[in-house]
Amino acid sequence: MTLLQGFGTLFLALVAWRLLKRITQPRNPLEDVAGPEKEHWLKGNYHRIFQDGWDYNLQLAEKYGGAVKIHGLLGTLQLYVSDPRALHNIVVKEQHVFEETDMFILGNKIIFGEGLISTLGEQHRKQRKMLTPVFSLADMRDLLPVIQPIADKMRDVLLNQLPAGEGSQEIDLVPWMSRGTLEYVCQANLGYTFHALDPEKTNEYAKAVRNLSPTALSIILLRPFIPFFVRYFSLHWRNMFVEWLPIPQLRELRRIVRIMDTVSRQIFSEKRATMLGHTNGSSGTTSDGGGDLGERMRGKDIMSIMLKANASSDDADRLTDEELLGQVNTIIFAGFETTTIAVCRMLYILASKLEVQAKLRSEVRKAKRDYAASQNLDKRWEDVDLPYDVLMGLPFLDAVLRETLRVYPPTSLMSRTTRAATTLPLQFPVRSTSGAPITEISLSANTNVIISILASNHNKEVWGEDADEWRPERWLTATGERIRIGEDGDGVVRDGDVPAEGAPGNKGGVKYPGVYASMMTFLGGGRACIGFKFAEMEMKQILTTLLSAMHFALPAGTDAHGHRKEIRWKMNGLQVPVLEPPAGDGRTPQVPLDARRVCPTDFAPQPVAA
């Protein structure tokens, strides 16, 4: 018997074991919940949800409501949830019962180490306690001017590709936004640069990080088998399986992980040496051309703040070196891919809605002119850098960002599993298989629950009948001011906050437990996105910097055969923009837009004085 045949036998034995386990288990209470019929003996409906499943996900919630029975891999039943009360239970009230799945935790541990998204229970709470103060508003205010040069560099790189005057040039934004957001997370979070925006320089770490997500998504259907192999096979044998299996993506994923681990250990070593005074913090470099930004950052990067906080903590709260090291790649990956997608989506929307782009550009111009006048700055308005409070207070910019993150969340789905039997209450009753109304659902231990961020953000019972529409005005008063969200009016919805009357996402007093603007994009509770304030600040800085100098429009050109370029956003775990055939291959991420320099007609018309 060959090694490949042996593995095939092992795989079939695993499938048989899972099927036998399912057959011998007591009747699953999810049998009574309505949902779509199973479509495949192995994949169930799982593939329809996670592979190009935008329409399918929204149709599930539209047809069956906020709790839907789904057939997972090997016939397992899972619950697909978008009901607001159910999600409050999952992410806030009973988050100790609804924990991350084994495949999520163990898969992340293999890739990132002992970081925030790879840990559970007390270890996760300890890490979060250490990291939360690092992302405070005070730290964001200090950090914003230090990272402004990144946005300026992105603008200059794009401007250098444009012809002089009013001529336009088609530019694929994905690689440049990807490079730019990578610099943001590396410089702001680690105080380190990989020169990702320098076309003359290449970097293995930067390429590895950019390729991590598409490589992992290409083998997403293998993820449920991760816990089995981690628990029952040593690292040696897991590596042997990677070599034997005819799946080149597995070997590529291992190569990426090794590069990330090697470089992150070097960065961590340099940062700690700087903190201890063993270096001056400005000369550290990796073997492929990266470098520490100690002199420029002056310890304002998040890793430096975290290392200092950890060193001064009590022994009980202090993180180990492996835990600190695990935050390096975790922070970079968590803040890189999703922000790239969100910025590309916003620029695509603005290119397709030129009147919105003009209105936003006019708001930015007025803010920069007003700030320059208040500070007696002798600068062109385009070159004015807005401070944190002014940038975050622009109402229309805030509305465009919120509405984009609501309608088009970069990450559409998350999963949890029940660590004990429980009952999930529903805000809005659903129908059973017999047609009777269900107000709560019993869940056995070890039941997987899929949190639908997309369906939650499109719930018409909460957001109104126009929930599917991209309409930034929903976040503004009739006079154009921001609608107050949360007790502090800062857009952050904390536990116990009640959005103001008439606020979006508060129809009939019902709201979602999301940490940001009552939406589920950044989740809520103890595993909400810890860096959402940084991501919000970063995206606003990029948009205001680019729109001050450049105008974007949908591609007007055609390919060599005369086919128009049509951009479509596929939902493959993450939102992935591709070019539809025949102009594109339908797989490669790209957002080609026509860009040119801003001219006087690119602003909203000024109202005529009475």
Side-chain angles (χ1 to χ4, degrees):
M1 179 183 292
T2 66
L3 291 174
L4 187 56
Q5 288 172 328
F7 180 79
T9 302
L10 179 64
F11 176 79
L12 291 175
L14 175 61
V15 171
W17 174 73
R18 291 286 296 271
L19 290 173
L20 179 63
K21 185 178 178 182
R22 176 172 175 262
I23 292 171
T24 56
Q25 280 181 334
R27 187 176 185 275
N28 193 323
L30 289 185
E31 296 278 4
D32 295 328
V33 180
E37 294 294 325
K38 182 168 60 176
E39 299 181 33
H40 190 274
W41 72 271
L42 174 63
K43 296 183 289 187
N45 313 106
Y46 203 74
H47 59 300
R48 294 292 304 278
I49 295 171
F50 286 94
Q51 294 183 322
D52 200 8
W54 178 277
D55 291 335
Y56 187 79
N57 278 264
L58 291 180
Q59 289 165 9
L60 281 178
E62 186 74 23
K63 183 175 181 179
Y64 299 102
V68 187
K69 176 181 64 184
I70 292 297
H71 298 273
L73 299 181
L74 299 174
T76 58
L77 295 183
Q78 302 186 19
L79 190 66
Y80 180 94
V81 181
S82 59
D83 181 88
R85 182 176 295 171
L87 289 178
H88 182 268
N89 261 54
I90 292 170
V91 304
V92 179
K93 187 177 180 180
E94 289 195 319
Q95 56 184 296
H96 62 287
V97 175
F98 294 90
E99 289 190 336
E100 300 279 10
T101 63
D102 289 346
M103 70 176 181
F104 180 88
I105 294 297
L106 295 176
N108 286 337
K109 191 167 292 187
I110 291 172
I111 295 173
F112 304 113
E114 298 282 339
L116 195 63
I117 62 174
S118 312
T119 53
L120 294 169
E122 184 57 34
Q123 185 182 19
H124 178 269
R125 285 189 289 273
K126 187 172 73 170
Q127 290 187 12
R128 195 172 182 92
K129 180 181 178 181
M130 177 66 66
L131 286 168
T132 297
V134 174
F135 290 93
S136 69
L137 289 177
D139 287 322
M140 295 301 102
R141 288 189 179 97
D142 286 344
L143 192 55
L144 181 68
V146 182
I147 57 178
Q148 177 66 49
I150 305 172
D152 295 339
K153 178 69 172 178
M154 294 173 70
R155 175 201 61 205
D156 293 344
V157 167
L158 295 178
L159 283 175
N160 286 338
Q161 300 181 48
L162 302 182
E166 297 184 7
S168 65
Q169 174 67 44
E170 182 181 288
I171 300 176
D172 180 10
L173 293 182
V174 169
W176 294 112
M177 295 304 105
S178 173
R179 288 168 176 261
T181 55
L182 181 60
E183 276 297 291
Y184 262 97
V185 291
C186 288
Q187 291 193 29
N189 290 288
L190 305 180
Y192 217 87
T193 178
F194 288 103
H195 307 290
L197 283 166
D198 190 335
E200 302 299 321
K201 294 185 178 180
T202 59
N203 182 279
E204 283 301 311
Y205 181 84
K207 288 193 293 185
V209 173
R210 290 199 297 268
N211 289 330
L212 174 59
S213 182
T215 303
L217 287 173
S218 68
I219 51 176
I220 191 171
L221 293 180
L222 296 179
R223 288 182 65 191
F225 301 103
I226 290 175
F228 175 81
F229 283 99
V230 170
R231 289 194 174 105
Y232 295 104
F233 294 93
S234 66
L235 178 61
H236 169 78
W237 282 106
R238 295 202 301 268
N239 275 316
M240 295 301 290
F241 285 136
V242 170
E243 292 295 333
W244 297 336
L245 286 173
I247 306 176
Q249 296 96 323
L250 275 176
R251 289 185 285 280
E252 174 62 12
L253 184 60
R254 182 179 61 182
R255 187 188 70 84
I256 289 171
V257 169
R258 286 175 174 173
I259 291 173
M260 292 172 59
D261 181 66
T262 299
V263 177
S264 64
R265 287 181 183 277
Q266 186 169 351
I267 293 174
F268 176 73
S269 177
E270 292 179 7
K271 298 303 293 185
R272 187 164 61 177
T274 299
M275 185 191 71
L276 296 174
H278 296 167
T279 72
N280 62 15
S282 60
S283 60
T285 59
T286 63
S287 58
D288 50 1
D292 189 81
L293 297 172
E295 288 298 323
R296 182 175 132 198
M297 282 290 175
R298 297 185 300 279
K300 294 180 180 179
D301 60 277
I302 290 168
M303 178 58 71
S304 293
I305 296 172
M306 184 176 67
L307 285 171
K308 292 174 184 175
N310 191 62
S312 61
S313 297
D314 296 335
D315 290 344
D317 294 328
R318 192 169 297 148
L319 304 185
T320 67
D321 282 356
E322 285 301 312
E323 287 179 294
L324 290 168
L325 181 63
Q327 311 309 328
V328 177
N329 289 324
T330 297
I331 289 173
I332 289 178
F333 179 74
F336 155 65
E337 193 78 28
T338 52
T339 306
T340 297
I341 291 167
V343 173
C344 285
R345 174 72 82 163
M346 279 185 282
L347 290 173
Y348 167 78
I349 291 172
L350 295 175
S352 61
K353 300 178 183 293
L354 297 182
E355 72 286 354
V356 176
Q357 184 180 161
K359 182 178 179 179
L360 180 54
R361 184 178 291 109
S362 296
E363 179 183 66
V364 172
R365 179 176 64 176
K366 182 179 185 304
K368 290 191 172 188
R369 284 176 170 173
D370 289 349
Y371 181 71
S374 70
Q375 302 297 313
N376 295 317
L377 300 178
D378 185 19
K379 286 184 176 181
R380 301 185 313 153
W381 72 267
E382 299 96 321
D383 299 326
V384 173
D385 299 333
L386 295 176
Y388 181 87
D389 292 312
V390 175
L391 178 68
M392 304 305 285
L394 296 180
F396 193 60
L397 173 63
D398 193 67
V400 167
L401 180 65
R402 288 185 185 181
E403 187 69 346
T404 303
L405 293 175
R406 181 190 72 82
V407 180
Y408 306 109
T411 301
S412 304
L413 302 161
M414 296 293 290
S415 294
R416 296 287 188 270
T417 191
T418 55
R419 301 299 177 183
T422 188
T423 299
L424 196 61
L426 301 178
Q427 186 80 47
F428 305 107
V430 298
R431 294 289 176 181
S432 69
T433 52
S434 64
I438 299 176
T439 58
E440 60 181 24
I441 298 174
S442 297
L443 297 174
S444 304
N446 302 315
T447 299
N448 277 8
V449 174
I450 300 172
I451 298 172
S452 180
I453 298 171
L454 178 66
S456 301
N457 288 359
H458 284 248
N459 190 339
K460 294 177 183 178
E461 298 275 8
V462 176
W463 298 96
E465 288 301 314
D466 64 348
D468 292 337
E469 298 177 22
W470 187 87
R471 193 174 64 82
E473 289 76 17
R474 78 174 72 244
W475 300 98
L476 303 171
T477 66
T479 57
E481 299 170 340
R482 263 200 325 184
I483 290 178
R484 179 183 173 88
I485 301 290
E487 291 181 352
D488 295 334
D490 59 0
V492 182
V493 179
R494 300 169 181 84
D495 291 348
D497 278 5
V498 178
E501 186 67 28
N506 189 33
K507 185 179 178 182
V510 177
K511 71 182 183 71
Y512 279 99
V515 70
Y516 174 73
S518 294
M519 67 181 75
M520 292 302 295
T521 302
F522 294 103
L523 291 182
R527 296 193 76 95
C529 175
I530 199 169
F532 77 92
K533 292 176 187 175
F534 173 78
E536 180 188 22
M537 176 182 74
E538 173 190 354
M539 290 185 282
K540 288 182 175 181
Q541 187 178 62
I542 291 173
L543 285 175
T544 54
T545 302
L546 294 184
L547 291 179
S548 295
M550 302 178 67
H551 175 276
F552 299 94
L554 294 179
T558 59
D559 66 8
H561 303 286
H563 300 123
R564 290 291 299 271
K565 295 182 177 180
E566 180 182 352
I567 301 168
R568 183 169 75 89
W569 294 76
K570 297 173 66 175
M571 185 180 129
N572 292 343
L574 297 173
Q575 304 288 330
V576 181
V578 299
L579 277 186
E580 285 277 68
D585 60 12
R587 297 187 306 273
T588 305
Q590 51 188 310
V591 179
L593 297 180
D594 288 347
R596 60 169 171 77
R597 301 171 192 274
V598 166
C599 64
T601 59
D602 295 332
F603 298 85
Q606 296 295 315
V608 179

